[in-house]
Amino acid sequence: MYLPQETIRRKRDKEVLTQDEIQSFIRGVTDNSISEAQISALTMAIFLNGLSKEECVHLTLAMRDSGDIMQWKHLDLPGPIIDKHSTGGVGDTVSLMLGPLFAACGGFNPMISGRGLGHTGGTLDKLASIPGYNPFPTNEQLTEAVKIAGTAIIGQTGNLAPADKRIYAARDVTATVESIPLITASILSKKLAGGLDYLVMDVKTGSGAFMPTPALSEELARSIVSVGSGAGLGLSALLTDMNQSLAPAAGNAVEVQCAIDYLTGKAKPSRLHEVTIELCAEGLLASGLAKDLDDARKKLNASLDSGLAAEKFAKMVHILGGPSDILENPKKYLAQAPVKIPVKAEKNGYISRFDTRDIGLAVVALGGGRLRSDQVIDPAVGLTDIVELGQEVVQGEDLMMIHAQSEKDAEIALKMIQKACYIHDEKPRALPLIPKRISVQDL
Ligand code: URA
């Protein structure tokens, strides 16, 4: 029996917590015998004094064990369970393609996704723009989707990592969200409760990223790889650029359309393609489905070209309640906004910078995202045809299209976007798309 106040005192005084006392604290968080005040005091002590890798592994595993852990062994799947987690961004359509790509290459990907909050979009909101798609399937539907489609992108069901919910709620109102060990344990405990064997982390860096500086993005990636491997996961992380929307579209239905165009070979936006393939390649390598990264890339490109990845996506959508012909007739199903207006370049020059966070907030202002968790999403609105950093433009040329429900909404978004796009006379230095790869060997 450990007194929570003693655990708090020890962390306050920079002592190292034991596995037993961390487990005891998390049990108290889960059964409500520990108060909000005590959770907040411990998270502030961790925020200020940090956790060692071992403490963070113990915290992660205790939080994972605070609720249900999804089991896949009984399905006898003929391949590994692989998943990806992204710290979130604008136009980050990757998950919609990555699950089907893993599946097409012999992996299985039950992906528990979240709804969007703030400037970043959520995969679940994107899929909700497909009529009938049920992200909360029955066990039978979920099993069928995982077995047959090899991928099921679903919402959080049951009681996964409930300790994280209480701890996160306390952190949110006590200025302790921005703690690398707490973020690490929060992300990994939920992922581990999904029952995966291998994980690829996409840690965004840049003006639309959750972490405010590249150095902190890298620190988070290193922490997750180190703690994740300590918790028994095979994993690696890529730092990927979020100084602009990853896809040429940002919103919900518009991103689903973009993913369908990609999977069916109609369009292959180069940055989106590279990040998707590189994240998938990491997963195939970690899980033994490819002998090296080049072999992984070849397999992934072949499954795109053959249409197998597209087929997996279509199967997942249909098994989870969506239409059977989403690939053939996406326009029949995906909502279209009635008002479309372009954002025009105000002068000649090169696109030198985006305030990507503000571009994401323009999508929220259109109704395509939420600032409070109870807000309802409009699937139809968003941005398409977004120009890229470094692109030369002439005055009056379109920088992107706004899709809105009304002229008034479109005008509000237009003003926000105009302030978030910068045009300069000189061509900017190109930023690396994937500045760093971090594997266990690099720690
Ligand atoms: N995302 C999470 O899931 N948890 C955090 O603590 C921060 C971001």
Side-chain angles (χ1 to χ4, degrees), residues 168 171 177 182-183 186-187 190 210:
Y168 194 87
R171 288 167 58 205
V177 168
L182 291 176
I183 298 170
S186 170
I187 290 176
K190 285 177 287 197
F210 162 68

Side-chain angles (χ1 to χ4, degrees), residues 184-206:
T184 301
S186 170
I187 290 176
L188 284 175
S189 61
K190 285 177 287 197
K191 281 285 152 188
L192 285 161
L196 72 169
D197 305 318
Y198 302 95
L199 178 69
V200 189
M201 265 312 292
D202 179 4
V203 180
K204 305 287 187 193
T205 175

Side-chain angles (χ1 to χ4, degrees), residues 20-63:
D20 284 350
E21 72 183 320
I22 291 173
Q23 285 173 344
S24 168
F25 196 93
I26 295 302
R27 269 197 303 276
V29 171
T30 313
D31 68 17
N32 286 314
S33 60
I34 286 183
S35 70
E36 251 75 68
Q38 289 171 316
I39 298 174
S40 304
L42 185 66
T43 57
M44 184 56 88
I46 293 173
F47 181 93
L48 295 171
N49 296 330
L51 290 178
S52 68
K53 175 190 163 186
E54 285 70 30
E55 288 175 297
C56 198
V57 170
H58 297 324
L59 178 64
T60 301
L61 293 176
M63 285 165 65

